[in-house]
Amino acid sequence: MGIVVLTMKASVIEMFLVLLATGIHSNKDMTKKIKRPKLTVPQINCDVKAGKIINPEFVVKCPAGCQDPKYHVYGTDIYASYSSVCGAAIHSGVLDNSGGKILVRKVAGQSGYKGSYSNGVQSLSLPRWRESFIVSEGKPQRGVTYPSALTYSSSKSPAAKTDEATKAYQKPPVPGTTAQPVTLTQVTGATATGAAHASLPKPSPSAGSTSSSLRPQPVGLRSGELDLWATSTYTSGQNSPHADPGIQSQNSPRAAFQKPAGAQVSPGEMDLWKPGSVLLDAGFVPKEELSTRALEPLSQGDPNCKIDLSFVIDGSSSIGKRRFRIQKQFLADVAQALDIGPAGPLMGIVQYGDNPSAQFNLRTHMNSRDLRTAIEKITQRGGLSNAGRAISFVTKNFFSKANGNRGSAPNVAVVIVDGWPTDKVEEASRFARESGINIFFITVEGATENEKQYVVEPNFSHKAVCRTNGFYSLNVQSWFSLHKTVQALVKRVCDTDRLACSKTCLNSADIGFVIDGSSSVGTGNFRTVLQFVANLSKEFEISDIDTRIGAVQYTYEQRLEFGFDDYNTKSDILNAIKRVGYWSGGTSTGAAINYALEQLFKKSKPNKRKLMILITDGRSYDDVRIPAMVAHHKGVITYAIGVAWAAQDELEVIATHPAKDHSFFVDEFDNLYKFVPKVIQNICTEFNSQPRN
């Protein structure tokens, strides 16, 4: 009998093992068959407002034709969520009217959205709103999963009109409760954050594992990221006069508003919802278009430090994890000290190892709090320490309008390197300086005397910085003392008067054209000369604070066509050049130079380079030597361009030394256009050859 029992037990065990093995094998086969679904980009209509979409970050496709003024946009660069998503993308320059993919990220609400006209779209001003968003090119970030179907605040979503799938809210059953209307009343009195009271059903422990929030957790984002665009908080239901006994306190912006299974929110209940952090994040847009409800004040940034700043940080393997954390803490401290905001400094970060990568750009985080949170999440890349490659990346890619470059703010790049770079930085840094980027270099734990033999490029910091006067360089003996340089660095980067590399050959001059209008030129050739003047002017960055243009025409007499202060946009300058009328007469070049010095350059700004570009087709009837010497003595750099019958010896006298770089001779008027690149090249070569001390 015992043998039979043992035999039966062995059979049962054997059968169990066979079933177990079969199940494991089946699971492996199923795992192999599972493939990650390909991300489909949802399409939205032109009239979809950002506030109607619950997802905090998403990629969408806009159709063509969204440049229509009926699709309202509020703000500039940072838009109120009451704006059309696609209209804002066109206004910001990320899209044109043909449509395309964009990346949308929700950020905190703010006060004072400023309207502007840009890219064919007139955005409107708005006193305040409780949620904002920014748009950028529709390139998904690595490691972030974007929703293939958007979640809207209403079941009648705009996407439904175009057969787009939308996510439905699944309300889990809450045992022991009945359907209760969800109410929210505004708190009266002097509440700084405009907190509200909410009546919430208390979830039972048995339902805790299956409960879901009204605002679903976005795929690919940590829960902490949702706090980036919460602008107010909610008080506990226990403090509400409408709260039921025993209701659990819900202080988190991600608290779940739960209802029993099968219960639906009626339109009447919707009307009870008041504007606030959680509700607006969930896409509920209030009836009133312009709310005057008080908001928690948001810093607009320090206006005395309006710079566009890129930190280029070392993520190489040599730095180690501990020092990399110290570097991140240093960045967070700088962000706090700078007081980040749209009216002050903006800051982005590029990390480099073997290759550089932008962690976030200038427009991603618009206040110090959000920036510090984002810095904490940066992970180390590893690899070599190719700082030269990183500087090239910043010059070519980082400071663009799409990435938040404002144009009116100086561009500053602070490069941090552990020890020394593993590639050369001189050529990349020269290109950055000529592009108007002020490079600072922080060298931490630099090479000792015994280590200098391993340095790829001696004096790399000296070759990289904007100027070699010590203002742009910081040498830190140890990573553990890096924090001591925060205030010194902030003071330097905010001293915009000393950011010398913001001035380039194209944005820092007062240029006076002195144009020969004598009878020998003729009407047709005179128009050719004006086209040459226009082609040269197009190459410069023209504004009241950048390059300014003026023009004088001369024969025996002289006439001021327009001065430096008359026009401050490129289009206005080009139109003014077109309107210049041909005068006709003799050729008194010497008198014309004196006239230009008095009528044009006497009104030049002290911090501007003074450039005179004189164009003539013959020998002067008067002396040019003394007027030319006066011009040179007053610091006016003179370029002399002669056409046809112009006298070469006079051109060389008029031109600044060396004459070979400042005088040009053209055999025919029709060939003038060929000399535009050469003139621009010589102007910039001379500018960039100035001493860097």
Side-chain angles (χ1 to χ4, degrees), residues 244-273:
D244 293 331
I247 288 182
Q248 185 176 350
S249 171
Q250 302 283 346
N251 291 325
S252 169
R254 297 184 297 278
F257 289 83
Q258 298 185 5
K259 297 193 73 176
Q264 296 182 350
V265 181
S266 67
E269 290 176 339
M270 284 289 190
D271 293 340
L272 297 174
W273 293 64

Coordinates of all heavy atoms in Angstrom, one line a residue, residues 244-273:
D244 N -18.2 66.3 4.3 CA -18.8 65.3 5.1 C -17.9 64.8 6.2 O -16.7 64.9 6.1 CB -19.2 64.1 4.3 CG -20.3 64.5 3.3 OD1 -21.1 65.4 3.6 OD2 -20.3 63.9 2.2
P245 N -18.4 64.4 7.3 CA -17.5 63.9 8.4 C -16.7 62.7 7.9 O -17.1 61.8 7.2 CB -18.5 63.4 9.5 CG -19.8 64.1 9.2 CD -19.8 64.3 7.7
G246 N -15.4 62.7 8.3 CA -14.5 61.6 8.0 C -13.9 61.7 6.7 O -13.2 60.8 6.3
I247 N -14.1 62.8 6.0 CA -13.4 62.9 4.7 C -11.9 63.1 4.8 O -11.5 63.9 5.7 CB -14.0 64.1 3.9 CG1 -15.4 63.8 3.4 CG2 -13.1 64.4 2.7 CD1 -16.1 64.8 2.6
Q248 N -11.2 62.3 4.0 CA -9.7 62.3 4.1 C -9.1 63.6 3.5 O -9.6 64.1 2.5 CB -9.1 61.1 3.4 CG -7.6 60.9 3.6 CD -7.2 59.7 2.9 OE1 -8.0 58.9 2.5 NE2 -5.9 59.5 2.8
S249 N -8.1 64.1 4.2 CA -7.4 65.3 3.7 C -6.7 65.0 2.4 O -6.0 64.0 2.3 CB -6.4 65.8 4.7 OG -5.6 66.9 4.2
Q250 N -6.8 65.9 1.4 CA -6.1 65.8 0.1 C -5.3 67.1 -0.1 O -5.9 68.0 -0.6 CB -7.1 65.5 -1.0 CG -8.0 64.3 -0.8 CD -7.2 63.0 -1.1 OE1 -6.2 63.1 -1.7 NE2 -7.7 61.9 -0.7
N251 N -4.1 67.1 0.2 CA -3.3 68.3 0.0 C -2.5 68.3 -1.3 O -2.0 69.3 -1.7 CB -2.4 68.6 1.2 CG -3.1 68.9 2.4 OD1 -4.2 69.6 2.3 ND2 -2.7 68.5 3.6
S252 N -2.3 67.1 -1.9 CA -1.4 67.1 -3.0 C -2.1 67.6 -4.3 O -3.3 67.3 -4.5 CB -1.0 65.6 -3.3 OG -0.4 65.5 -4.5
P253 N -1.4 68.3 -5.2 CA -2.0 68.7 -6.5 C -2.5 67.5 -7.3 O -3.2 67.6 -8.2 CB -0.9 69.5 -7.2 CG 0.0 69.9 -6.1 CD -0.1 68.8 -5.0
R254 N -2.0 66.3 -7.0 CA -2.3 65.1 -7.8 C -3.4 64.3 -7.1 O -3.6 63.1 -7.3 CB -1.0 64.3 -8.0 CG 0.0 65.0 -8.8 CD 1.2 64.1 -9.1 NE 1.9 63.7 -7.8 CZ 2.8 64.5 -7.2 NH1 3.0 65.6 -7.7 NH2 3.4 64.0 -6.1
A255 N -4.1 64.9 -6.1 CA -5.1 64.1 -5.4 C -6.2 63.7 -6.3 O -6.6 64.4 -7.2 CB -5.7 65.0 -4.3
A256 N -6.7 62.5 -6.1 CA -7.7 61.9 -7.0 C -9.1 62.3 -6.6 O -9.5 62.1 -5.5 CB -7.6 60.4 -7.0
F257 N -9.9 62.9 -7.5 CA -11.3 63.2 -7.3 C -12.0 62.0 -7.7 O -12.1 61.7 -8.9 CB -11.7 64.4 -8.1 CG -11.1 65.7 -7.6 CD1 -9.9 66.1 -8.0 CD2 -11.9 66.5 -6.8 CE1 -9.4 67.3 -7.5 CE2 -11.4 67.7 -6.3 CZ -10.1 68.1 -6.7
Q258 N -12.5 61.2 -6.8 CA -13.1 59.9 -7.1 C -14.6 59.9 -7.0 O -15.2 60.6 -6.1 CB -12.5 58.8 -6.1 CG -11.0 58.7 -6.3 CD -10.5 57.6 -5.4 OE1 -11.3 56.9 -4.8 NE2 -9.2 57.4 -5.4
K259 N -15.2 59.2 -7.9 CA -16.7 58.9 -7.8 C -16.9 57.5 -8.0 O -16.1 56.7 -8.5 CB -17.4 59.7 -8.9 CG -17.2 61.3 -8.8 CD -18.1 62.0 -9.7 CE -19.5 61.9 -9.1 NZ -20.5 62.7 -9.9
P260 N -18.1 57.0 -7.6 CA -18.4 55.6 -7.7 C -18.5 55.2 -9.1 O -18.6 56.0 -10.0 CB -19.8 55.5 -7.0 CG -19.9 56.7 -6.2 CD -19.1 57.8 -6.9
A261 N -18.3 53.8 -9.3 CA -18.3 53.3 -10.7 C -19.6 53.6 -11.3 O -20.7 53.4 -10.8 CB -18.1 51.8 -10.6
G262 N -19.6 54.0 -12.6 CA -20.8 54.2 -13.4 C -21.3 55.6 -13.2 O -22.2 56.0 -14.0
A263 N -20.9 56.3 -12.2 CA -21.4 57.7 -12.0 C -20.8 58.6 -13.0 O -19.6 58.5 -13.3 CB -21.1 58.2 -10.6
Q264 N -21.5 59.6 -13.6 CA -21.0 60.5 -14.5 C -21.1 61.9 -14.0 O -22.0 62.2 -13.2 CB -21.7 60.4 -15.9 CG -21.6 59.0 -16.5 CD -22.3 59.0 -17.9 OE1 -23.1 59.9 -18.2 NE2 -22.0 58.0 -18.6
V265 N -20.2 62.8 -14.4 CA -20.3 64.2 -14.0 C -21.2 64.9 -14.9 O -21.0 64.9 -16.1 CB -18.9 64.8 -14.0 CG1 -19.0 66.3 -13.6 CG2 -17.9 64.0 -13.2
S266 N -22.3 65.4 -14.4 CA -23.3 66.1 -15.2 C -22.9 67.5 -15.5 O -22.0 68.1 -14.8 CB -24.6 66.1 -14.5 OG -24.5 67.0 -13.3
P267 N -23.4 68.2 -16.5 CA -23.1 69.6 -16.8 C -23.3 70.5 -15.6 O -22.6 71.4 -15.4 CB -24.0 69.9 -18.0 CG -24.3 68.6 -18.7 CD -24.3 67.6 -17.5
G268 N -24.3 70.2 -14.8 CA -24.6 71.0 -13.7 C -23.5 70.9 -12.7 O -23.1 71.9 -12.0
E269 N -23.0 69.7 -12.5 CA -21.8 69.5 -11.6 C -20.6 70.2 -12.1 O -19.8 70.8 -11.3 CB -21.5 68.1 -11.4 CG -22.6 67.3 -10.6 CD -22.3 65.9 -10.5 OE1 -21.6 65.3 -11.3 OE2 -22.9 65.2 -9.6
M270 N -20.4 70.2 -13.4 CA -19.2 70.9 -14.0 C -19.2 72.4 -13.6 O -18.2 73.0 -13.4 CB -19.3 70.8 -15.5 CG -18.9 69.4 -16.0 SD -17.1 69.1 -15.8 CE -16.9 67.6 -16.7
D271 N -20.4 73.0 -13.6 CA -20.5 74.4 -13.4 C -20.0 74.8 -11.9 O -19.7 75.9 -11.6 CB -21.9 74.9 -13.6 CG -22.3 74.9 -15.0 OD1 -21.4 74.8 -15.9 OD2 -23.5 74.9 -15.3
L272 N -20.0 73.7 -11.0 CA -19.6 74.0 -9.7 C -18.1 74.1 -9.5 O -17.6 74.5 -8.5 CB -20.1 72.9 -8.8 CG -21.7 72.8 -8.7 CD1 -22.0 71.6 -7.9 CD2 -22.3 74.0 -8.1
W273 N -17.4 73.6 -10.5 CA -15.9 73.6 -10.5 C -15.4 75.0 -10.7 O -15.7 75.7 -11.6 CB -15.3 72.7 -11.5 CG -15.6 71.3 -11.3 CD1 -16.8 70.7 -11.3 CD2 -14.7 70.2 -11.0 NE1 -16.7 69.3 -11.1 CE2 -15.4 69.0 -10.9 CE3 -13.3 70.2 -10.9 CZ2 -14.8 67.8 -10.6 CZ3 -12.7 69.0 -10.6 CH2 -13.4 67.8 -10.5

